[in-house]
Amino acid sequence: MLQEEIFRTYPLKPGFFTGYASSCTGNAYCNFAPIETKHRLHALTVALDAAFPEVGQPLRVNLTGCFHACAQPQVADIGLTGGRARVGEETVPVYTVMVGGHLGKDAAFAAPLEGRVADANLEALLKALVQQYLDLREADEPFYATVARTGRDAWQSVVDQYAVGNNG
């Protein structure tokens, strides 16, 4: 029974990224969202699960397709808000990033970071943010606590490497 296709698509024990991600419906069902969100977020979280099996605890990545924030990026470890912008000669999906949000005891909104990241660089950015977390965290420290302890600038410096205008 566990070999059925449904369990490959929806495993009983999801990864630390895929099992905790959230997106809005995106442009498939919403006239406000200029980007596709569901498949894009799934591909990103699958890549993060494969790249970081040692993360050891859930990391919530929320991707919303517009400023309405239906996927609630402001309460995610890493929150992404999508849009479209001209990059070079093309109009492409771009994302603003926020880090360090969480729910529960001492709940807090994520800190918005400056700049926009083109879709082509999004996976690399997310991997860099997770690597930053692994490099800076203290024993069993959740992502949001590492962000709070280290400050916004430590995370802004990572986004700056991938932001439109800084990398082409």
Side-chain angles (χ1 to χ4, degrees), residues 119-132:
D119 187 70
N121 296 320
L122 187 57
E123 183 178 326
L125 167 68
L126 292 176
K127 288 178 177 177
L129 288 171
V130 174
Q131 188 59 57
Q132 174 88 327

Side-chain angles (χ1 to χ4, degrees), residues 6-166:
I6 188 97
F7 294 111
R8 282 190 289 282
T9 305
Y10 302 105
L12 295 178
K13 286 188 77 181
F16 288 121
F17 295 93
T18 54
Y20 300 88
S22 178
S23 73
C24 67
T25 62
N27 64 5
Y29 297 102
C30 177
N31 290 330
F32 292 110
I35 64 165
E36 191 282 321
T37 57
K38 295 246 179 242
H39 293 106
R40 186 63 179 126
L41 182 60
H42 182 71
L44 291 165
T45 56
V46 165
L48 291 171
D49 277 335
F52 299 102
E54 76 279 15
V55 75
Q57 59 186 295
L59 263 83
R60 187 176 308 277
V61 180
N62 291 3
L63 170 58
T64 197
C66 75
F67 60 88
H68 288 239
C70 294
Q72 302 175 341
Q74 65 275 22
V75 294
D77 291 303
I78 301 172
L80 304 167
T81 301
R84 294 186 71 76
R86 193 140 181 94
V87 177
E89 298 298 315
E90 298 183 80
T91 300
V92 299
V94 295
Y95 306 86
T96 58
V97 181
M98 52 186 74
V99 294
H102 70 283
L103 298 171
K105 185 176 186 226
D106 300 322
F109 284 131
L113 303 175
E114 294 178 23
R116 295 175 299 174
V117 177
D119 187 70
N121 296 320
L122 187 57
E123 183 178 326
L125 167 68
L126 292 176
K127 288 178 177 177
L129 288 171
V130 174
Q131 188 59 57
Q132 174 88 327
Y133 163 61
L134 294 175
D135 292 344
L136 297 176
R137 76 176 174 180
E138 295 178 351
D140 297 324
E141 185 176 48
F143 189 96
Y144 69 85
T146 302
V147 171
R149 181 177 51 76
T150 59
R152 183 184 173 281
D153 290 346
W155 304 90
Q156 182 65 58
S157 66
V158 176
V159 172
D160 288 346
Q161 297 172 47
Y162 297 91
V164 170
N166 293 344

